[in-house]
Amino acid sequence: MENGGESNGITLFTEEELREISGVKRGDDYVEVMCGCTSHRYGDAVARLRVFSSGELAISCECTPGCQEDKLTPAAFEKHSGRETARKWKNNIWIILNGEKVPVVKTPLLKYYNKSSKHANGSHRSQNGKVHRDEFLRCTECKKERRFRLRSKEECQIYHDALANVHWKCSDIPYVKVSCDDEEERASRRVYRGCSRSPSCKGCTSCVCFGCQVCRFSDCSCQTCSDFTSNAKA
């Protein structure tokens, strides 16, 4: 394996880009490095960050020997670590660079993520030209519905993971502080879900996506993602 890992023969990162970063491991289509997030109350939560050429970021937490949190999004890991000032994971998650903790945003590791986000955020359309409209999920404790914006791959991942969690609750939303005590969004507001054709659209061919590279994940083992990945390779 050449320095920096390879994807289809293309080096993901140069030797120079990774030289001072601690804990580098290379896979067929990813580079893995040591990372962490610091809470003033709980201290450092150490983990492993995998950077894929597709722009996907996956974190396996090692905060305790028995921690089972795997394939977390950066935002989810930031929340899991107990970081008090969440919603700024690019600055709060650090990499050991030349022996110092450096925000991941100040390293080359986000270059593929930034490219994929820029592509996904271009009018927040999927690769098949459709808009990813907002979705709602009902809390299992208070039974209130909460809105999920699907404007980027990371936001799609957050909704995807929440949908798979049979015990999902309001406080699990990583990018905004919400509790069961907060009021539910008014019904008159919930009808607006981001369709570019009609603001109050209830679902049409312009705003309903049945699967694309933005909202499906190659490292997910659920049936929906597995089927999409298999069909994409066929």
Side-chain angles (χ1 to χ4, degrees):
M1 181 68 65
E2 292 185 12
N3 290 317
E6 291 187 350
S7 177
N8 298 323
I10 301 174
T11 301
L12 299 184
F13 297 97
T14 65
E15 181 180 359
E16 184 67 26
E17 288 175 318
L18 299 179
R19 179 174 296 164
E20 304 297 337
I21 295 178
S22 295
V24 175
K25 293 183 180 179
R26 301 172 178 86
D28 291 336
D29 63 343
Y30 66 86
V31 167
E32 183 178 285
V33 302
M34 175 185 174
C35 72
C37 191
T38 302
S39 162
H40 297 301
R41 181 177 181 182
Y42 301 108
D44 291 346
V46 179
R48 304 288 305 179
L49 166 66
R50 283 192 178 185
V51 180
F52 295 87
S53 60
S54 64
E56 290 184 50
L57 302 174
I59 296 179
S60 298
C61 187
E62 300 176 351
C63 61
T64 62
C67 184
Q68 300 296 313
E69 296 294 340
D70 192 23
K71 295 182 180 178
L72 294 171
T73 63
F77 171 64
E78 180 189 46
K79 181 175 182 179
H80 174 70
S81 73
R83 175 75 187 194
E84 291 79 6
T85 55
R87 300 176 62 187
K88 296 181 180 179
W89 65 263
K90 291 183 181 180
N91 290 300
N92 290 337
I93 294 177
W94 44 259
I95 306 297
I96 299 296
L97 182 66
N98 199 21
E100 300 289 337
K101 294 177 182 176
V102 177
V104 66
V105 70
K106 294 184 178 181
T107 73
L109 296 172
L110 296 186
K111 67 179 181 180
Y112 295 103
Y113 171 82
N114 291 335
K115 287 179 182 178
S116 66
S117 295
K118 184 177 180 181
H119 173 74
N121 287 335
S123 72
H124 60 273
R125 292 180 180 273
S126 64
Q127 290 186 347
N128 55 23
K130 293 181 175 61
V131 172
H132 286 109
R133 65 177 185 164
D134 297 348
E135 298 291 350
F136 289 87
L137 196 60
R138 190 178 300 277
C139 174
T140 57
E141 293 187 354
C142 69
K143 309 305 179 184
K144 296 174 183 176
E145 287 191 330
R146 301 302 184 189
R147 180 186 295 267
F148 284 77
R149 289 170 54 87
L150 308 182
R151 302 298 188 265
S152 68
K153 191 172 185 68
E154 183 183 8
E155 288 178 336
C156 287
Q157 176 87 66
I158 291 171
Y159 174 68
H160 178 81
D161 293 346
L163 197 62
N165 182 1
V166 296
H167 302 296
W168 184 86
K169 55 187 181 298
C170 295
S171 59
D172 290 333
I173 299 179
Y175 53 83
V176 62
K177 190 174 182 179
V178 178
S179 73
C180 291
D181 294 331
D182 293 321
E183 291 294 326
E184 185 178 38
E185 193 171 313
R186 288 180 296 179
S188 59
R189 179 75 182 98
R190 290 202 300 271
V191 300
Y192 300 105
R193 297 174 63 173
C195 178
S196 59
R197 185 186 64 83
S198 173
S200 58
C201 176
K202 295 181 179 180
C204 69
T205 56
S206 295
C207 67
V208 177
C209 178
F210 292 101
C212 71
Q213 294 291 345
V214 177
C215 63
R216 298 291 182 263
F217 308 94
S218 59
D219 60 346
C220 177
S221 60
C222 79
Q223 193 63 50
T224 301
C225 289
S226 296
D227 288 346
F228 176 81
T229 302
S230 298
N231 292 334
K233 291 180 178 179

